[in-house]
Amino acid sequence: MIADNTQTQMRKGILEYCILSIISKGEIYASDIITELKKAELLVVEGTLYPLLTRLKNNGLLSYSWKESTSGPPRKYYQITAEGEQVLKKLDITWKELVYAVEVSLAGRSNS
Amino acid sequence: MNKTIIININSIVFHIEEDAYEVLRSYMIEIKKHFGRTPDSGEILQDIENRIAEMFAERIELGKKEVISMIDVEEVIAQMGRVSDFEDVDELSDETYDDHQARSKEEKHAPYGHKKIMRDPDDTIIGGVCSGLGYYLGMDVKWVRILFVLFFLFGGSGILLYVVLWALMPVASSRADKMAMRGEEPTLQNFKKSFEDDLENYGQGFTQAKGFVSRNSRVIGDVISAVFRFIGKLFALFMLIISGLTIMGLIFMLVAFSLGVLGYQNEIIFPPLEALSKDQALIALLAGILGVMIPFMALFHLFVRILFKTRPMNTYLSLSLWAIWVVSVIVLIVYIIIGNQNFKETSTIKVEKPMPLKSTYYFTEKDLRIIDAATLENGQKEYRLRGNMENFSRAIRNDISVRFEPLDSLQKPFVQYHYTARGKTYQQAAERAAKIDYEMSEEKDKMIFDSHFKLEASDPYRGQEVAAVVFLPLGTVVEIGEPLRAKLRGISYRSCLQEADGERKASKTVWVMQKSGLICATSNEQ
């Protein structure tokens, strides 16, 4: 159970980082984010995404605009804010530090 | 062929199959419950609904596929993810590990709090009331049934309870209703479970599908079930006959009393109706009979439905019956008030008439109802009665009382009559009292009180009564004949008979007027 929890927390932090990264590439629709995340094998179901997007938006890292769709109701397109860009830069640094830390920690382990 | 339901998600209309709708609905409930705890739930749910609408829209092809099917819903749900899929990612940062574990555990094991009282259409003997109650009370259905049968046996109170519950408890017709009845949370898992249970039941064949006892006591259960079903049917049949007979009786009463009120049949009079005028009495009678008959008709219909599994009553018919019943009850209440108005004022007229002076009097009663008394060969008398139900006869009344009071030995005897009647006004009451024609008469040394006094045909009953007070000088000997017995007030004919031991069958008693009133003298007289 503890392992599960640790995994979940690791994945959760990384998930937010990845979402911010994907959105920073340009205006994007939620289900396209899912497609990208699926490609990266990070997320499987869409339902998980919406609470995260909402939280990021409410923290001022994202904003969205409505766009007409050909195949249904209007869609929410997300884009990153200036604040989001700053946070993303900090996260980039943190990520590099983490990768370094993990590499150093794992060095010498036979099965890695 | 499938039934479809029209739903509206984010102002887009979809046609969806019934089963698919139930699954979708429970999914949305699940989602709402899951996100309901977070502060942004409104927005998140909006996003999810929006996305579902969009995915549905993608699946619709005009002319080819216009209805959302179960498969569509399942695929959309798979893509959106189950609540169990969300739990890993979401929320963890907000709470500690332990909290989360504790809560999810609680959610899994605590029973769903809101059970609904509903009738179970899959498990019925009569109406599924017992099985519904069983779920609600968390008792095995058979115990509830046994309790009800016990109630039936004790004064039949169970019948009323059952009928009332039947009327009040809605039937659990949809799968969601049935789950609410069992107290299961309407989640997707439970829906699936319920669906699989159904399939399993069908697989087992219809005999088992309707059995109500757990599988380990199947045989006993079947026997008990059959017995209950038989008792239920028998009871329903019994009630059907009872209510049917009641309705027939009421119709007969309506006809008979109507004739009575209209004056065709003098003897058939329903006492309360006498308080009203003829027209009012007819309406009141109709209202009263309908007021009683309609509930019995409803009962009759109910048991016909149970026994023969017929369709429920047409809505218009049942509504109009309801309306008629309400009107009847109101009319009845109005007439009770009007009737009471007619008895509001009381008037008593006092008249004194002298009596012939004698030292011994013989008082008795003449039964006016005997119109022909012929002595037959065997010495017995044959009575032909004009009205054998005195209280039911309007024309003659017997509210007559007789009392005896002492006078100074020098004064002359007399009779004082108190004629009393009631009416809407004092004037009316007094006029009615004056109309009462009743006096003692003298016939062959006997003082005769008639058994009844007559009311004029035009005069309705308004509490008319006569009290006769006979004032006699001290020392007067009074013999009272047996027939007068019932009219006597203030003295006990019976105790006087008992004093004269062995003369209980005497046709008269003897009394002497003293200062305190009449004193029994029968025993001294031997």
Side-chain angles (χ1 to χ4, degrees):
Chain A
M1 292 303 273
I2 289 174
D4 275 352
N5 187 41
T6 313
Q7 280 168 356
T8 321
Q9 284 187 333
M10 279 164 82
R11 207 178 284 138
K12 185 178 160 62
I14 292 166
L15 187 61
E16 283 185 27
Y17 176 45
C18 292
I19 290 171
L20 267 183
S21 304
I22 290 168
I23 295 174
S24 73
K25 289 184 261 178
E27 218 178 28
I28 191 166
Y29 176 54
S31 77
D32 296 333
I33 300 174
I34 283 283
T35 319
E36 297 250 350
L37 289 172
K38 273 185 180 167
K39 219 171 12 178
E41 290 179 18
L42 244 180
L43 195 67
V44 240
V45 292
E46 285 190 33
T48 332
L49 186 65
Y50 296 103
L52 283 176
L53 286 175
T54 307
R55 186 156 61 234
L56 290 173
K57 184 209 75 185
N58 287 349
N59 288 336
L61 310 186
L62 296 179
S63 68
Y64 67 84
S65 53
W66 289 102
K67 294 212 168 158
E68 289 295 325
S69 152
T70 49
S71 65
R75 297 168 157 191
K76 259 182 184 176
Y77 275 80
Y78 288 90
Q79 57 204 134
I80 198 159
T81 59
E83 201 185 338
E85 299 268 14
Q86 282 177 0
V87 171
L88 187 59
K89 271 175 196 156
K90 280 185 200 162
L91 288 177
D92 281 339
I93 295 164
T94 314
W95 179 245
K96 273 169 195 152
E97 286 169 1
L98 279 173
V99 170
Y100 174 74
V102 172
E103 269 172 6
V104 169
S105 309
L106 296 188
R109 259 173 66 178
S110 54
N111 59 350
S112 64
Chain B
M1 201 172 73
N2 269 323
K3 199 172 159 189
T4 62
I5 291 172
I6 297 173
I7 56 169
N8 166 0
I9 311 176
N10 274 11
S11 345
I12 298 182
V13 170
F14 295 102
H15 291 263
I16 182 167
E17 284 175 5
E18 203 179 12
D19 277 1
Y21 166 73
E22 286 198 350
V23 170
L24 180 67
R25 194 174 77 112
S26 66
Y27 176 71
M28 289 313 293
I29 290 171
E30 212 169 39
I31 296 247
K32 269 180 196 157
K33 286 187 74 155
H34 179 78
F35 288 117
R37 293 187 295 264
T38 61
D40 311 316
S41 61
E43 195 171 354
I44 296 168
L45 287 170
Q46 187 70 38
D47 283 348
I48 290 176
E49 278 201 354
N50 227 357
R51 178 67 183 142
I52 288 175
E54 192 183 44
M55 287 194 279
F56 280 165
E58 282 166 5
R59 282 157 195 277
I60 297 290
E61 289 175 68
L62 281 179
K64 273 186 179 174
K65 177 180 161 53
E66 296 183 340
V67 175
I68 302 295
S69 69
M70 191 67 156
I71 298 166
D72 294 324
V73 169
E74 274 175 356
E75 282 174 5
V76 164
I77 288 174
Q79 200 175 340
M80 190 56 76
R82 296 263 156 75
V83 170
S84 53
D85 299 325
F86 304 163
E87 248 152 22
D88 303 343
V89 190
D90 171 56
E91 286 178 48
L92 263 184
S93 57
D94 305 334
E95 294 154 65
T96 66
Y97 172 71
D98 287 340
D99 261 4
H100 179 73
Q101 286 303 315
R103 211 203 41 242
S104 63
K105 219 177 203 170
E106 192 184 298
E107 272 179 3
K108 267 170 200 149
H109 296 294
Y112 182 55
H114 307 289
K115 278 188 188 175
K116 277 188 183 165
I117 303 189
M118 291 176 128
R119 289 185 287 121
D120 187 355
D122 298 335
D123 184 8
T124 63
I125 286 175
I126 303 174
V129 170
C130 290
S131 45
L133 274 182
Y135 285 123
Y136 189 74
L137 301 172
M139 282 164 84
D140 198 317
V141 191
K142 63 184 167 190
W143 297 118
V144 181
R145 288 193 168 122
I146 287 168
L147 273 179
F148 261 95
V149 170
L150 285 179
F151 275 131
F152 286 145
L153 297 180
F154 289 115
S157 52
I159 302 165
L160 200 66
L161 187 66
Y162 196 95
V163 170
V164 168
L165 284 174
W166 193 336
L168 291 181
M169 284 163 69
V171 65
S173 46
S174 74
R175 192 161 288 142
D177 280 346
K178 281 174 200 165
M179 277 162 55
M181 174 185 74
R182 290 188 208 112
E184 288 168 356
E185 213 165 350
T187 59
L188 206 57
Q189 285 87 342
N190 279 337
F191 256 114
K192 275 202 161 159
K193 186 175 147 267
S194 147
F195 197 70
E196 280 156 11
D197 282 354
D198 277 3
L199 286 179
E200 200 183 328
N201 278 338
Y202 282 120
Q204 282 179 355
F206 283 95
T207 46
Q208 285 308 315
K210 280 215 156 188
F212 66 91
V213 179
S214 56
R215 285 174 184 79
N216 49 10
S217 56
R218 196 175 289 167
V219 180
I220 307 170
D222 280 352
V223 172
I224 293 177
S225 158
V227 168
F228 272 120
R229 232 168 273 189
F230 181 70
I231 293 174
K233 286 266 154 116
L234 214 61
F235 169 70
L237 189 68
F238 177 70
M239 287 303 289
L240 189 72
I241 293 170
I242 294 283
S243 46
L245 286 177
T246 310
I247 291 170
M248 278 164 60
L250 286 169
I251 292 172
F252 178 75
M253 268 170 77
L254 180 66
V255 172
F257 287 139
S258 304
L259 289 178
V261 171
L262 291 172
Y264 292 116
Q265 284 287 322
N266 250 350
E267 281 81 25
I268 313 168
I269 286 290
F270 194 47
L273 292 177
E274 295 174 6
L276 297 167
S277 75
K278 219 175 228 183
D279 299 340
Q280 288 172 334
L282 265 187
I283 297 170
L285 179 68
L286 188 67
I289 298 273
L290 283 176
V292 182
M293 193 158 76
I294 287 174
F296 274 101
M297 281 164 72
L299 213 60
F300 185 78
H301 179 73
L302 189 72
F303 287 106
V304 168
R305 274 189 63 194
I306 296 164
L307 282 175
F308 306 113
K309 307 236 188 290
T310 51
R311 301 180 136 268
M313 204 184 282
N314 177 307
T315 323
Y316 292 111
L317 185 60
S318 73
L319 277 182
S320 33
L321 279 180
W322 258 106
I324 293 172
W325 187 74
V326 170
V327 169
S328 301
V329 171
I330 292 171
V331 167
L332 210 56
I333 291 169
V334 167
Y335 278 127
I336 287 171
I337 294 167
I338 291 177
N340 277 330
Q341 284 291 317
N342 284 335
F343 284 79
K344 212 170 114 193
E345 298 290 342
T346 309
S347 168
T348 302
I349 295 175
K350 231 187 260 180
V351 177
E352 287 181 10
K353 291 278 167 80
M355 270 172 74
L357 184 63
K358 288 184 186 179
S359 58
T360 302
Y361 291 95
Y362 184 79
F363 292 96
T364 190
E365 183 197 273
K366 187 168 98 185
D367 196 335
L368 281 188
R369 294 168 305 169
I370 303 166
I371 54 172
D372 186 17
T375 308
L376 298 177
E377 285 179 3
N378 56 10
Q380 283 183 324
K381 275 182 179 174
E382 185 192 39
Y383 294 96
R384 268 201 265 145
L385 303 185
R386 198 172 70 184
N388 50 359
M389 296 185 292
E390 3 187 305
N391 282 327
F392 278 73
S393 179
R394 176 204 286 267
I396 55 174
R397 308 293 315 179
N398 66 343
D399 300 308
I400 299 163
S401 66
V402 176
R403 272 192 302 135
F404 294 91
E405 295 290 341
L407 272 180
D408 210 16
S409 50
L410 294 175
Q411 281 179 285
K412 286 185 176 172
F414 64 92
V415 191
Q416 194 179 61
Y417 300 99
H418 300 254
Y419 302 112
T420 306
R422 288 159 178 266
K424 204 180 281 179
T425 61
Y426 185 78
Q427 179 75 21
Q428 280 183 359
E431 279 172 15
R432 279 202 189 98
K435 270 191 193 168
I436 301 173
D437 178 24
Y438 184 85
E439 260 178 47
M440 189 185 72
S441 55
E442 193 180 355
E443 221 176 84
K444 295 178 204 159
D445 293 339
K446 285 180 188 167
M447 310 310 265
I448 306 282
F449 286 98
D450 287 346
S451 64
H452 295 77
F453 60 90
K454 287 181 195 167
L455 297 182
E456 281 171 39
S458 61
D459 224 16
Y461 171 68
R462 293 288 182 271
Q464 284 96 332
E465 54 182 69
V466 178
V469 187
V470 182
F471 287 88
L472 296 171
L474 289 175
T476 312
V477 177
V478 177
E479 296 174 353
I480 299 175
E482 162 80 24
L484 196 58
R485 189 171 170 170
K487 290 188 168 37
L488 294 175
R489 301 287 181 275
I491 52 173
S492 169
Y493 188 89
R494 187 161 167 264
S495 62
C496 191
L497 263 189
Q498 278 167 347
E499 273 181 46
D501 198 29
E503 283 196 58
R504 292 196 181 192
K505 283 182 181 172
S507 62
K508 63 175 186 182
T509 49
V510 182
W511 308 71
V512 178
M513 183 55 82
Q514 308 267 307
K515 262 189 180 165
S516 56
L518 279 186
I519 300 295
C520 181
T522 307
S523 51
N524 305 336
E525 215 241 351
Q526 282 177 343

